[in-house]
Amino acid sequence: MFGMIKPYPSPLISGRGIDLDFAMLAGCLALLGLGLVMITSASSEVAAAQSGNPLYHMFRHLVYVAIGVFACIVTMMVPIATWQKMGFTMLVGAFALLVLVLVPGIGREVNGSMRWIGFSFFNVQPSEIAKVFVVIYLAGYLVRRQTEVRESWMGFFKPFIVLLPMAGLLLMEPDFGATVVMMGAAAAMLFLGGVGLFRFSLMVVLAVGAVFVLVQAQPYRMARLITFTDPWSDQFGSGYQLTQALIAFGRGEWLGVGLGNSVQKQFYLPEAHTDFVFSVLAEELGVVGSLVTVALFVFVTVRALYIGLWAEKAKQYFAAYMAFGLAFLWIGQFLINIGVNVGLLPTKGLTLPFLSYGGSSLVICCACVGLLLRIEWESRTHLGSEEHEFDESDFAEEPNHGR
């Protein structure tokens, strides 16, 4: 396979050898390692009860990590121009996946939601793939229609002809969290693409109104909205998850109870190794460990935004918009998951990037890392920019990581 990709220079194959943004890579690897440790700890009791092996989820997660590393390498070696050409195809693929997951017999229902396409040994969550495909398509649209987006209402509304039906499919699963993250990332991309403040403000108002209507439309959403403000009023009912998560934070104090010593993971806190892994982390590693984890997330997301900025300065606008979109996908998921864990937001089933157990989320996160590393490398070497024609001899010099 690498023989087929080798003619295309990449951060792994160049005159400089391995030429990566090691700061970004180190931050993501630190989160991957921390995620593996916390999933091993948080899932041990559940795994022992369900399979007889307390390390069952750890071994499965290691397989996902291996697949994710492979996905990262592959995406890193594909030129950004190739992703730009495939934008429309990927959009059609995203729609196809979101339709398939709703088909009985193909989609798999878990806890009342049809979010997974089941295979023999693993499940695929189409919403994770669709969010990235939408970012890639929208980045291409912002490049093709840049003047129209900045100066006309039609250029502003056209993306929603695509985004609203996709949001509708996500809500049919239902996956309200993924819908909010996707639409939020798209809105941020449009704003950075040059949409005027008045039109952007109108979009925000309409989005808030839509969220209000969607919350009112389903009784369980309204119950969650009411409960999270005072979970102790129904601590053994609708407020159970949040109260158990808050107990975990309280037990952790400053330095935590010690790795592996969580009490809340022992069948008190539901979904301890998926949606609420951060609560277990806070209990075992305390405030200090939680703040270090947040700092790592802040670092990788800010670094991703800077990668977009560097690509924009190199006049690689598609790559820049794609980097911005991927960064905002991470930021959205991070803010919602942490907000749910600490009780600032209503309970939503949304994974924490790199840390939560789940194959689709982890593999897609790793693929996004590969895209960002490729964007950084192309912008630094000026491969693909408008004012520089690439020549292999450009890579004979020593690398400059002065950023």
Side-chain angles (χ1 to χ4, degrees):
M1 177 175 180
F2 288 105
M4 296 170 58
I5 302 177
K6 191 172 181 179
Y8 301 99
S10 75
L12 298 177
I13 303 174
S14 70
R16 299 172 175 177
I18 298 177
D19 187 17
L20 297 171
D21 180 359
F22 288 103
M24 181 68 174
L25 182 62
C28 294
L29 288 176
L31 287 172
L32 275 177
L34 181 61
L36 177 62
V37 171
M38 292 314 306
I39 286 168
T40 302
S41 176
S43 66
S44 59
E45 300 296 331
V46 174
Q50 293 178 347
S51 66
N53 181 5
L55 300 180
Y56 173 78
H57 290 299
M58 185 201 76
F59 290 134
R60 286 182 64 90
H61 192 74
L62 278 172
V63 173
Y64 297 144
V65 169
I67 297 172
V69 170
F70 178 76
C72 177
I73 292 172
V74 171
T75 54
M76 200 189 310
M77 299 182 74
V78 177
I80 297 301
T82 302
W83 297 107
Q84 186 172 3
K85 293 174 184 176
M86 294 172 58
F88 181 75
T89 303
M90 298 177 84
L91 179 70
V92 173
F95 271 107
L97 287 171
L98 292 178
V99 170
L100 281 175
V101 77
L102 298 174
V103 177
I106 297 179
R108 181 181 177 185
E109 184 175 349
V110 178
N111 295 329
S113 299
M114 295 277 286
R115 299 181 186 177
W116 295 268
I117 296 177
F119 295 92
S120 56
F121 298 106
F122 62 95
N123 298 319
V124 174
Q125 191 170 358
S127 61
E128 296 289 339
I129 302 172
K131 287 183 294 188
V132 176
F133 283 7
V134 165
V135 165
I136 293 173
Y137 172 79
L138 188 56
Y141 173 82
L142 290 173
V143 171
R144 293 191 306 271
R145 306 285 184 178
Q146 190 173 58
T147 302
E148 190 177 357
V149 168
R150 293 180 176 181
E151 297 180 359
S152 72
W153 283 92
M154 186 55 66
F156 168 67
F157 281 119
K158 278 182 180 178
F160 292 97
I161 298 174
V162 171
L163 292 171
L164 291 179
M166 188 164 289
L169 289 171
L170 287 171
L171 290 172
M172 289 173 67
E173 295 182 6
D175 195 341
F176 188 67
T179 307
V180 171
V181 170
M182 183 190 74
M183 297 299 285
M189 290 176 69
L190 286 170
F191 181 72
L192 294 174
V195 169
L197 185 59
F198 175 74
R199 280 176 287 164
F200 182 77
S201 301
L202 177 63
M203 177 177 60
V204 171
V205 171
L206 292 174
V208 172
V211 169
F212 179 78
V213 171
L214 290 171
V215 169
Q216 294 280 350
Q218 294 291 339
Y220 78 91
R221 290 180 187 148
M222 180 55 72
R224 286 181 177 179
L225 186 63
I226 294 173
T227 302
F228 99 96
T229 59
D230 185 16
W232 303 101
S233 63
D234 189 16
Q235 66 183 87
F236 298 109
S238 57
Y240 180 76
Q241 279 183 307
L242 180 53
T243 55
Q244 296 303 315
L246 293 176
I247 290 172
F249 277 93
R251 292 192 75 251
E253 298 184 348
W254 284 101
L255 298 177
V257 296
L259 191 62
N261 294 327
S262 168
V263 171
Q264 293 305 103
K265 70 181 182 183
Q266 299 178 14
F267 306 101
Y268 291 103
L269 180 60
E271 310 296 339
H273 60 296
T274 55
D275 300 340
F276 285 89
V277 68
F278 189 76
S279 297
V280 177
L281 184 149
E283 183 181 2
E284 295 188 350
L285 304 183
V287 172
V288 174
S290 300
L291 291 178
V292 169
T293 304
V294 170
L296 279 172
F297 273 111
V298 171
F299 174 77
V300 298
T301 53
V302 170
R303 188 75 178 183
L305 291 172
Y306 268 104
I307 288 173
L309 181 61
W310 295 329
E312 189 174 33
K313 289 182 178 179
K315 300 187 182 300
Q316 299 174 2
Y317 297 111
F318 170 78
Y321 293 136
M322 186 162 67
F324 291 143
L326 296 176
F328 281 111
L329 286 180
W330 286 353
I331 291 170
Q333 288 189 235
F334 166 69
L335 290 177
I336 291 176
N337 184 279
I338 300 296
V340 166
N341 274 254
V342 301
L344 293 177
L345 293 173
T347 303
K348 279 306 306 167
L350 201 64
T351 57
L352 186 61
F354 297 104
L355 260 68
S356 293
Y357 177 80
S360 297
S361 174
L362 183 65
V363 172
I364 292 299
C365 281
C366 291
C368 291
V369 173
L371 289 172
L372 289 166
L373 291 174
R374 177 79 194 196
I375 291 169
E376 189 276 336
W377 179 77
E378 288 196 8
S379 66
R380 177 160 42 85
T381 58
H382 300 287
L383 173 60
S385 64
E386 295 177 356
E387 299 176 351
H388 185 89
E389 185 175 350
F390 171 71
D391 190 298
E392 182 66 27
S393 62
D394 292 341
F395 298 94
E397 302 174 3
E398 291 297 316
N400 179 12
H401 292 282
R403 291 176 176 169

